[in-house]
Amino acid sequence: DYPCRAQIDDMSEVARAQAGYTEKERRVLMLAESCEVEPNTNDSITVKGERYAIMDVNSDPAESYYSMRCQRG
């Protein structure tokens, strides 16, 4: 386990439907400098007591944060 700073992106139902998201999926944003390791699809992340399996990971061009498509449960 590694502590990090992350938040669940508040996407609208319409945005999730267009992107192919399901009810159990969320986009999680994590500050890159807040964690000792780079997340990958073999990892999971816990945000506000809920655990999510990481399905996809992308980084912004400056590599300041990770945008992760995650599935709850």
Side-chain angles (χ1 to χ4, degrees), residues 5-62:
R5 294 181 53 112
Q7 73 177 38
I8 297 173
D9 188 25
D10 189 21
M11 297 177 65
S12 70
E13 290 294 322
V14 173
R16 282 199 298 259
Q18 290 175 349
Y21 281 72
T22 67
E23 275 284 316
K24 292 184 175 184
E25 293 180 40
R26 298 291 183 265
R27 186 169 82 156
V28 177
L29 303 174
M30 182 181 85
L31 288 175
E33 68 179 29
S34 73
C35 192
E36 296 176 24
V37 297
E38 186 174 324
N40 65 61
T41 57
N42 294 321
D43 296 328
S44 60
I45 187 167
T46 302
V47 181
K48 294 187 177 183
E50 289 208 52
R51 193 164 194 81
Y52 297 88
I54 299 173
M55 301 167 55
D56 187 40
V57 180
N58 294 296
S59 181
D60 68 306

